[in-house]
Amino acid sequence: SGLNYTEPYRPQYHFSPAEHWMNDPAGLVYYKETYHLFFQYNPGGIEWGNMSWGHATSKDLTHWEERPVALLARGYPENVTEMYFTGSAVADVNNTSGFGVDGKIPLVAMYTSMYPVSQELPSGKHVLAEQQSQSIAYSLDEGETWTTYDAENPVIHNPPSPYGAELENFRDPFVFWHDDTQKWVAVTVLASLHKVVIWSSDNLKEWSLASEFGPYNAVGGIWECPNLFQMPIKGDPSIKKWVLVLGLNPGGPPGTVGSGTQYFIGDFNGTAFKADPASIYPDNKSANWMDWGPDFYAAASYNGLPVGDDVVQIAWMNNWQYGATIPTSPWRSAMSVPRQLSLKEVNGKVTLLQQPQDSWHSVANDQTLKHSWKSVSKGSTSLDSPGKAFKIDLSFADHDSDKSLASTFAIAVRASSDFKQETLIGYNFTSKEVFVDRRNSGVVSFDKTFASLYHAPLSANADKRINLQVFVDWSSVEVLGGQGEVSLTAQIFPEENSTETRLVSTDGVTQNVRLQISGMDSAWH
Ligand code: FRU
């Protein structure tokens, strides 16, 4: 049944595995004109377990083809002795690792080995039950099949000196090539210590400890899935900054429960990451949130993109709070729309901006609704139904409080004909916040925290307008506000025939409204 990708809630233009459980993107690498997406995968169930690396490929980041499992949990299914946790992948184009033979370029993956049972490894190293260490594997056939480096794995053994914390959660290596120092860098976390630990290597096999970072800002839960990359600042391209993205579980943004994603902007010299003072909040609580919704986690960037300064990220569109109970079958979890990142000064502060990576246009169809209003009246304004998968561009004038003007303005999507079921995406003119309200979005009762209202601060742009882009799929909404300085990602599980849409202007009118809705086709056919 999975092969038609038409089951209830099946994402139409977001990647999801045909069946079984998926979590983090683990290994995003572009090589020979193909985007590879490796991901945390349970080959034998619809909940977390038997962690392996699933694999999908794409030519455009929107149309995906699922490939055979890349790294199958060792000993699966009888007796799992090693699980392959989150990591990353690179094309070792200069064959620094020596894994390349006959002129073939090796793809090298670095992952966290999680050993459920104590044992002696082929390399002679002893590991304890539940221990986590970093290991590598390589592929000489463009990611189809992989060989683990058993002779020496793990290549960064736990405990990493000088920490001595044998069973500390130590994981999620993000590897990339650092051009200035001509070295490989691996960024890992000591998750429960809220430390990022950075390593460097000439050959991907021998690693030396370079530095550590943290704890800073949000530390409400463990730190996971670090991602580090460099970008120029828009409008000032001579300045390049580094961005460190971190998963936090739990302790996500205000108003959410469960996992979330924060970032730091700073400098990295190949050895140490230093956050800019503007990126650090002394209260040890506030953070630069990458997404203010509940369902954006383990964001990772592509290695090997053809255009040097390009940074494209994909995140897991789910949450550890309820990930294993979402009402989908025979799979669980989808990935976010790929996000093109940039840096720009917004309201005096260098800020991470997200835009949808261009390839979504390839599934946009010609069923486009276009409207503009000088003024949208108080109450609700119905619109033609755009179906179940579409993209919205909504823009309107901001205003300060005034009796004749709206207090909030929203678009309701995936609504039932009586509007008892709807997901509202809108703006609160008083608090100056974008919101997503999924309290009545459909099936919500599988988790007591799911039916919630999420919000993110957003000020009007220079021409005093609020701009929202919204991607709606069969079980998700992703909202990008302003120039992309805020993002709000949330799963929804509406009834299949809930396809109504309307505008809702509360307490007064909303001015100078422009709306465009583009239908989105399935990327699976
Ligand atoms: C984050 C995470 C990672 C870990 C993986 C295991 O979602 O907990 O830290 O490597 O999932 O599947």
Side-chain angles (χ1 to χ4, degrees):
S1 67
L3 294 179
N4 284 323
Y5 296 93
T6 54
E7 306 95 327
Y9 312 130
R10 172 67 83 176
Q12 298 297 291
Y13 58 92
H14 291 79
F15 176 75
S16 63
E19 52 178 2
H20 302 321
W21 167 266
M22 173 177 80
N23 56 288
D24 316 354
L28 301 183
V29 62
Y30 181 79
Y31 181 61
K32 288 203 179 161
E33 279 152 42
T34 299
Y35 294 93
H36 292 269
L37 162 61
F38 297 95
F39 50 87
Q40 288 288 280
Y41 187 59
N42 181 354
I46 200 171
E47 289 185 19
W48 188 91
N50 304 313
M51 292 326 287
S52 300
W53 278 32
H55 184 202
T57 56
S58 173
K59 292 287 176 193
D60 69 353
L61 284 171
T62 294
H63 297 83
W64 293 98
E65 188 183 334
E66 200 169 338
R67 307 298 313 164
V69 170
L71 287 162
L72 186 63
R74 195 184 299 272
Y76 173 82
E78 289 84 25
N79 175 30
V80 172
T81 57
E82 182 182 4
M83 294 204 249
Y84 303 111
F85 273 17
T86 294
S88 51
V90 293
D92 181 14
V93 289
N94 295 322
N95 197 20
T96 61
S97 61
F99 289 137
V101 288
D102 303 333
K104 285 186 189 148
I105 291 174
L107 290 182
V108 178
M110 190 168 196
Y111 53 89
T112 297
S113 293
M114 145 66 182
Y115 307 100
V117 290
S118 300
Q119 59 197 292
E120 184 182 325
L121 302 176
S123 57
K125 293 171 193 169
H126 292 264
V127 291
L128 303 174
E130 302 290 311
Q131 194 161 306
Q132 300 173 9
S133 304
Q134 318 319 318
S135 299
I136 55 176
Y138 62 94
S139 169
L140 298 177
D141 59 2
E142 289 162 46
E144 283 294 291
T145 60
W146 291 80
T147 306
T148 50
Y149 183 42
D150 293 346
E152 296 294 339
N153 275 341
V155 294
I156 307 178
H157 202 6
N158 190 332
S161 170
Y163 301 102
E166 285 206 336
L167 292 172
E168 208 47 74
N169 292 312
F170 169 49
R171 58 179 181 257
D172 303 342
F174 177 74
V175 179
F176 63 95
W177 176 250
H178 187 254
D179 213 42
D180 289 352
T181 54
Q182 294 284 295
K183 281 192 191 298
W184 296 105
V185 173
V187 187
T188 60
V189 286
L190 281 164
S192 7
L193 300 182
H194 307 109
K195 279 182 193 292
V196 168
V197 186
I198 301 180
W199 309 80
S200 95
S201 173
D202 292 318
N203 56 14
L204 293 162
K205 291 172 163 171
E206 289 144 324
W207 291 90
S208 49
L209 178 64
S211 68
E212 63 167 64
F213 171 84
Y216 291 111
N217 293 1
V219 291
I222 57 174
W223 279 11
E224 301 183 314
C225 304
N227 182 205
L228 181 63
F229 47 84
Q230 187 184 34
M231 286 189 297
I233 297 181
K234 272 191 176 170
D236 201 350
S238 62
I239 306 180
K240 287 192 175 191
K241 297 299 278 187
W242 287 81
V243 182
L244 173 67
V245 176
L246 280 175
L248 184 73
N249 179 40
T256 67
V257 177
S259 36
T261 304
Q262 63 173 325
Y263 70 91
F264 298 86
I265 296 175
D267 295 305
F268 177 66
N269 58 8
T271 307
F273 176 80
K274 191 169 183 307
D276 290 349
S279 238
I280 302 286
Y281 299 91
D283 66 2
N284 283 324
K285 197 169 93 206
S286 307
N288 310 293
W289 295 108
M290 212 180 146
D291 192 283
W292 295 78
D295 293 308
F296 186 93
Y297 197 61
S301 62
Y302 264 90
N303 275 314
L305 290 182
V307 181
D309 283 334
D310 255 19
V311 179
V312 175
Q313 266 195 348
I314 293 178
W316 179 50
M317 201 159 50
N318 205 344
N319 187 317
W320 284 116
Q321 166 69 21
Y322 46 69
T325 57
I326 58 172
T328 58
S329 170
W331 84 99
R332 274 208 187 96
S333 299
M335 294 302 182
S336 70
V337 152
R339 315 278 178 98
Q340 180 90 42
L341 305 188
S342 61
L343 288 174
K344 193 175 171 191
E345 203 172 299
V346 179
N347 302 326
K349 191 175 172 185
V350 179
T351 305
L352 189 61
L353 304 185
Q354 303 181 53
Q355 285 293 324
Q357 203 273 349
D358 280 343
S359 77
W360 69 270
H361 289 282
S362 68
V363 285
N365 60 43
D366 52 13
Q367 280 154 31
T368 303
L369 303 167
K370 261 192 179 168
H371 287 287
S372 58
W373 296 262
K374 268 296 329 136
S375 155
V376 167
S377 21
K378 173 175 160 179
S380 66
T381 303
S382 51
L383 302 165
D384 288 344
S385 165
K388 297 201 292 176
F390 47 94
K391 194 233 177 186
I392 303 170
D393 286 277
L394 178 62
S395 137
F396 46 90
D398 187 24
H399 57 246
D400 290 323
S401 59
D402 174 321
K403 290 230 154 48
S404 66
L405 300 178
S407 57
T408 67
F409 182 56
I411 185 163
V413 301
R414 299 304 312 269
S416 54
S417 44
D418 60 4
F419 292 95
K420 287 201 169 125
Q421 186 176 112
E422 63 182 2
T423 299
L424 287 158
I425 296 139
Y427 190 68
N428 183 323
F429 294 102
T430 312
S431 63
K432 306 291 176 204
E433 286 175 326
V434 189
F435 62 84
V436 172
D437 183 350
R438 69 174 181 190
R439 285 175 294 185
N440 300 312
S441 57
V443 176
V444 296
S445 58
F446 55 90
D447 177 84
K448 66 181 189 316
T449 71
F450 190 85
S452 298
L453 167 70
Y454 305 99
H455 47 86
L458 177 68
S459 349
N461 65 8
D463 61 359
K464 302 218 163 52
R465 295 182 66 79
I466 301 298
N467 297 317
L468 303 177
Q469 292 182 73
V470 188
F471 286 89
V472 178
D473 203 338
W474 287 13
S475 54
S476 59
V477 297
E478 287 163 278
V479 183
L480 297 172
Q483 309 169 65
E485 64 267 35
V486 300
S487 164
L488 261 155
T489 303
Q491 297 182 90
I492 52 170
F493 301 102
E495 271 161 33
E496 270 200 84
N497 55 5
S498 292
T499 60
E500 298 301 323
T501 304
R502 64 174 176 176
L503 297 174
V504 185
S505 189
T506 311
D507 298 327
V509 304
T510 301
Q511 297 169 307
N512 298 316
V513 177
R514 287 198 292 265
L515 172 67
Q516 175 166 340
I517 303 185
S518 312
M520 298 283 266
D521 290 332
S522 168
W524 298 108
H525 302 294

CSV table of all heavy atoms in Angstrom, one decimal, residues 163-194:
chain,number,residue,atom,x,y,z
A,163,TYR,N,37.4,13.8,29.3
A,163,TYR,CA,36.1,13.8,30.0
A,163,TYR,C,35.9,12.7,31.0
A,163,TYR,O,35.4,12.8,32.0
A,163,TYR,CB,34.9,13.9,29.0
A,163,TYR,CG,35.1,15.1,28.2
A,163,TYR,CD1,35.5,15.1,26.9
A,163,TYR,CD2,34.8,16.4,28.8
A,163,TYR,CE1,35.7,16.2,26.1
A,163,TYR,CE2,35.0,17.5,28.0
A,163,TYR,CZ,35.4,17.5,26.7
A,163,TYR,OH,35.6,18.6,26.0
A,164,GLY,N,36.3,11.5,30.5
A,164,GLY,CA,36.3,10.3,31.4
A,164,GLY,C,34.9,9.9,31.8
A,164,GLY,O,34.7,9.2,32.7
A,165,ALA,N,33.9,10.4,31.0
A,165,ALA,CA,32.5,10.0,31.4
A,165,ALA,C,32.1,8.8,30.5
A,165,ALA,O,31.6,9.0,29.4
A,165,ALA,CB,31.6,11.2,31.1
A,166,GLU,N,32.4,7.6,31.0
A,166,GLU,CA,32.3,6.5,30.1
A,166,GLU,C,31.0,6.3,29.4
A,166,GLU,O,30.9,5.9,28.3
A,166,GLU,CB,32.6,5.2,31.0
A,166,GLU,CG,34.0,5.0,31.3
A,166,GLU,CD,34.4,3.6,31.5
A,166,GLU,OE1,33.5,2.8,31.9
A,166,GLU,OE2,35.6,3.3,31.3
A,167,LEU,N,29.9,6.6,30.1
A,167,LEU,CA,28.6,6.3,29.5
A,167,LEU,C,27.9,7.6,29.2
A,167,LEU,O,26.7,7.6,29.0
A,167,LEU,CB,27.8,5.4,30.5
A,167,LEU,CG,28.3,4.0,30.6
A,167,LEU,CD1,27.6,3.2,31.7
A,167,LEU,CD2,28.3,3.3,29.3
A,168,GLU,N,28.6,8.6,29.1
A,168,GLU,CA,28.0,9.9,28.8
A,168,GLU,C,27.4,9.8,27.4
A,168,GLU,O,28.0,9.2,26.5
A,168,GLU,CB,29.1,11.0,28.8
A,168,GLU,CG,28.6,12.4,29.1
A,168,GLU,CD,27.7,12.4,30.2
A,168,GLU,OE1,28.1,12.3,31.4
A,168,GLU,OE2,26.5,12.6,30.0
A,169,ASN,N,26.3,10.4,27.1
A,169,ASN,CA,25.7,10.4,25.8
A,169,ASN,C,26.6,11.2,24.9
A,169,ASN,O,26.7,12.4,25.0
A,169,ASN,CB,24.3,11.0,25.8
A,169,ASN,CG,23.3,10.2,26.5
A,169,ASN,OD1,23.2,9.0,26.3
A,169,ASN,ND2,22.6,10.8,27.4
A,170,PHE,N,27.3,10.5,24.0
A,170,PHE,CA,28.4,11.1,23.2
A,170,PHE,C,28.1,10.7,21.8
A,170,PHE,O,28.2,9.6,21.4
A,170,PHE,CB,29.7,10.5,23.7
A,170,PHE,CG,30.9,10.9,22.8
A,170,PHE,CD1,31.1,12.2,22.4
A,170,PHE,CD2,31.8,9.9,22.4
A,170,PHE,CE1,32.2,12.5,21.6
A,170,PHE,CE2,32.9,10.1,21.6
A,170,PHE,CZ,33.1,11.4,21.2
A,171,ARG,N,27.6,11.7,21.0
A,171,ARG,CA,27.1,11.3,19.7
A,171,ARG,C,27.0,12.4,18.6
A,171,ARG,O,27.3,13.5,18.8
A,171,ARG,CB,25.8,10.5,19.8
A,171,ARG,CG,24.7,11.3,20.5
A,171,ARG,CD,23.5,10.4,20.6
A,171,ARG,NE,22.3,11.1,21.2
A,171,ARG,CZ,21.9,10.9,22.4
A,171,ARG,NH1,22.5,10.0,23.2
A,171,ARG,NH2,20.9,11.5,22.9
A,172,ASP,N,26.4,11.9,17.5
A,172,ASP,CA,25.9,12.7,16.3
A,172,ASP,C,27.0,13.5,15.6
A,172,ASP,O,26.9,14.7,15.4
A,172,ASP,CB,24.8,13.6,16.8
A,172,ASP,CG,23.6,12.9,17.5
A,172,ASP,OD1,23.6,11.7,17.3
A,172,ASP,OD2,22.9,13.5,18.2
A,173,PRO,N,28.1,12.8,15.1
A,173,PRO,CA,29.2,13.5,14.5
A,173,PRO,C,28.7,14.2,13.1
A,173,PRO,O,28.2,13.5,12.3
A,173,PRO,CB,30.2,12.4,14.2
A,173,PRO,CG,29.4,11.2,14.1
A,173,PRO,CD,28.3,11.4,15.1
A,174,PHE,N,28.9,15.4,13.0
A,174,PHE,CA,28.7,16.1,11.8
A,174,PHE,C,30.1,16.5,11.2
A,174,PHE,O,30.9,17.2,11.8
A,174,PHE,CB,27.9,17.4,11.9
A,174,PHE,CG,27.8,18.1,10.6
A,174,PHE,CD1,26.9,17.6,9.6
A,174,PHE,CD2,28.5,19.3,10.3
A,174,PHE,CE1,26.8,18.3,8.4
A,174,PHE,CE2,28.4,19.9,9.1
A,174,PHE,CZ,27.6,19.4,8.1
A,175,VAL,N,30.4,15.8,10.1
A,175,VAL,CA,31.8,16.0,9.5
A,175,VAL,C,31.7,16.9,8.3
A,175,VAL,O,30.8,16.8,7.5
A,175,VAL,CB,32.3,14.6,9.0
A,175,VAL,CG1,33.7,14.7,8.4
A,175,VAL,CG2,32.3,13.6,10.2
A,176,PHE,N,32.7,17.7,8.1
A,176,PHE,CA,32.9,18.5,6.9
A,176,PHE,C,34.3,18.8,6.6
A,176,PHE,O,35.2,18.7,7.5
A,176,PHE,CB,32.0,19.8,6.9
A,176,PHE,CG,32.4,20.7,8.0
A,176,PHE,CD1,33.3,21.8,7.8
A,176,PHE,CD2,32.0,20.6,9.3
A,176,PHE,CE1,33.7,22.7,8.8
A,176,PHE,CE2,32.4,21.5,10.4
A,176,PHE,CZ,33.2,22.5,10.1
A,177,TRP,N,34.6,19.2,5.4
A,177,TRP,CA,36.0,19.6,5.0
A,177,TRP,C,36.2,21.1,5.3
A,177,TRP,O,35.4,21.9,4.9
A,177,TRP,CB,36.2,19.3,3.5
A,177,TRP,CG,37.5,19.7,3.0
A,177,TRP,CD1,37.7,20.8,2.1
A,177,TRP,CD2,38.8,19.1,3.2
A,177,TRP,NE1,39.1,20.8,1.8
A,177,TRP,CE2,39.7,19.8,2.5
A,177,TRP,CE3,39.2,18.1,4.0
A,177,TRP,CZ2,41.1,19.5,2.5
A,177,TRP,CZ3,40.5,17.7,4.1
A,177,TRP,CH2,41.5,18.4,3.3
A,178,HIS,N,37.2,21.4,6.1
A,178,HIS,CA,37.5,22.8,6.4
A,178,HIS,C,38.6,23.3,5.4
A,178,HIS,O,39.8,22.9,5.6
A,178,HIS,CB,37.9,23.0,7.8
A,178,HIS,CG,38.1,24.4,8.3
A,178,HIS,ND1,39.3,25.0,8.5
A,178,HIS,CD2,37.1,25.4,8.5
A,178,HIS,CE1,39.1,26.3,8.8
A,178,HIS,NE2,37.8,26.5,8.9
A,179,ASP,N,38.3,24.1,4.5
A,179,ASP,CA,39.2,24.4,3.4
A,179,ASP,C,40.4,25.2,3.9
A,179,ASP,O,41.5,24.9,3.4
A,179,ASP,CB,38.4,25.2,2.3
A,179,ASP,CG,38.9,24.9,1.0
A,179,ASP,OD1,39.2,23.7,0.7
A,179,ASP,OD2,39.1,25.9,0.2
A,180,ASP,N,40.2,26.2,4.8
A,180,ASP,CA,41.3,27.0,5.2
A,180,ASP,C,42.4,26.2,5.8
A,180,ASP,O,43.6,26.5,5.6
A,180,ASP,CB,40.8,28.1,6.2
A,180,ASP,CG,39.9,29.2,5.5
A,180,ASP,OD1,39.9,29.1,4.3
A,180,ASP,OD2,39.3,30.0,6.2
A,181,THR,N,42.1,25.3,6.6
A,181,THR,CA,43.1,24.5,7.3
A,181,THR,C,43.4,23.2,6.6
A,181,THR,O,44.2,22.4,7.1
A,181,THR,CB,42.7,24.2,8.8
A,181,THR,OG1,41.4,23.6,8.8
A,181,THR,CG2,42.7,25.5,9.6
A,182,GLN,N,42.6,22.9,5.5
A,182,GLN,CA,42.8,21.6,4.8
A,182,GLN,C,42.7,20.4,5.7
A,182,GLN,O,43.5,19.5,5.7
A,182,GLN,CB,44.1,21.6,4.1
A,182,GLN,CG,44.2,22.7,3.0
A,182,GLN,CD,43.4,22.3,1.7
A,182,GLN,OE1,43.8,21.3,1.1
A,182,GLN,NE2,42.4,23.0,1.4
A,183,LYS,N,41.6,20.5,6.6
A,183,LYS,CA,41.4,19.3,7.5
A,183,LYS,C,39.9,19.0,7.5
A,183,LYS,O,39.1,19.8,7.2
A,183,LYS,CB,41.9,19.7,8.9
A,183,LYS,CG,43.4,19.6,9.1
A,183,LYS,CD,43.7,19.7,10.6
A,183,LYS,CE,45.2,19.9,10.8
A,183,LYS,NZ,46.0,18.8,10.3
A,184,TRP,N,39.7,17.7,7.9
A,184,TRP,CA,38.3,17.3,8.2
A,184,TRP,C,38.0,17.8,9.6
A,184,TRP,O,38.9,17.7,10.5
A,184,TRP,CB,38.2,15.8,8.1
A,184,TRP,CG,38.4,15.2,6.8
A,184,TRP,CD1,39.5,14.6,6.3
A,184,TRP,CD2,37.5,15.3,5.7
A,184,TRP,NE1,39.4,14.2,5.0
A,184,TRP,CE2,38.1,14.7,4.6
A,184,TRP,CE3,36.2,15.8,5.5
A,184,TRP,CZ2,37.5,14.5,3.3
A,184,TRP,CZ3,35.6,15.7,4.2
A,184,TRP,CH2,36.3,15.1,3.2
A,185,VAL,N,36.8,18.2,9.8
A,185,VAL,CA,36.3,18.5,11.2
A,185,VAL,C,35.1,17.7,11.5
A,185,VAL,O,34.2,17.4,10.6
A,185,VAL,CB,35.9,20.0,11.2
A,185,VAL,CG1,35.3,20.4,12.5
A,185,VAL,CG2,37.1,20.9,10.9
A,186,ALA,N,35.0,17.2,12.7
A,186,ALA,CA,33.9,16.5,13.2
A,186,ALA,C,33.3,17.2,14.4
A,186,ALA,O,34.1,17.4,15.4
A,186,ALA,CB,34.2,15.0,13.5
A,187,VAL,N,32.1,17.5,14.4
A,187,VAL,CA,31.4,18.2,15.5
A,187,VAL,C,30.5,17.2,16.2
A,187,VAL,O,29.6,16.6,15.6
A,187,VAL,CB,30.6,19.4,15.0
A,187,VAL,CG1,30.1,20.2,16.2
A,187,VAL,CG2,31.5,20.3,14.1
A,188,THR,N,30.8,16.9,17.5
A,188,THR,CA,30.0,16.0,18.2
A,188,THR,C,29.4,16.6,19.5
A,188,THR,O,29.7,17.8,19.8
A,188,THR,CB,30.9,14.8,18.7
A,188,THR,OG1,31.9,15.3,19.6
A,188,THR,CG2,31.5,14.1,17.6
A,189,VAL,N,28.5,15.9,20.2
A,189,VAL,CA,28.0,16.5,21.4
A,189,VAL,C,28.2,15.5,22.6
A,189,VAL,O,28.2,14.3,22.4
A,189,VAL,CB,26.5,16.8,21.4
A,189,VAL,CG1,26.2,18.0,20.6
A,189,VAL,CG2,25.7,15.6,20.9
A,190,LEU,N,28.5,16.0,23.7
A,190,LEU,CA,28.4,15.3,25.0
A,190,LEU,C,27.0,15.8,25.5
A,190,LEU,O,26.9,16.8,26.1
A,190,LEU,CB,29.5,15.6,26.0
A,190,LEU,CG,30.8,14.9,25.6
A,190,LEU,CD1,32.0,15.5,26.3
A,190,LEU,CD2,30.7,13.4,26.0
A,191,ALA,N,26.0,15.0,25.1
A,191,ALA,CA,24.6,15.5,25.1
A,191,ALA,C,24.2,16.0,26.5
A,191,ALA,O,23.6,17.0,26.6
A,191,ALA,CB,23.7,14.4,24.6
A,192,SER,N,24.4,15.2,27.5
A,192,SER,CA,23.9,15.6,28.8
A,192,SER,C,24.8,16.6,29.5
A,192,SER,O,24.3,17.2,30.5
A,192,SER,CB,23.6,14.4,29.7
A,192,SER,OG,24.1,13.2,29.2
A,193,LEU,N,26.0,16.8,29.0
A,193,LEU,CA,26.8,17.9,29.6
A,193,LEU,C,26.6,19.2,28.9
A,193,LEU,O,27.2,20.2,29.2
A,193,LEU,CB,28.3,17.5,29.5
A,193,LEU,CG,28.7,16.2,30.2
A,193,LEU,CD1,30.2,16.0,30.1
A,193,LEU,CD2,28.4,16.3,31.7
A,194,HIS,N,25.8,19.2,27.8
A,194,HIS,CA,25.5,20.4,27.0
A,194,HIS,C,26.8,21.0,26.5
A,194,HIS,O,27.1,22.2,26.6
A,194,HIS,CB,24.8,21.5,27.8
A,194,HIS,CG,23.5,21.0,28.4
A,194,HIS,ND1,23.4,20.8,29.8
A,194,HIS,CD2,22.4,20.6,27.8
A,194,HIS,CE1,22.2,20.3,30.0
A,194,HIS,NE2,21.5,20.2,28.9
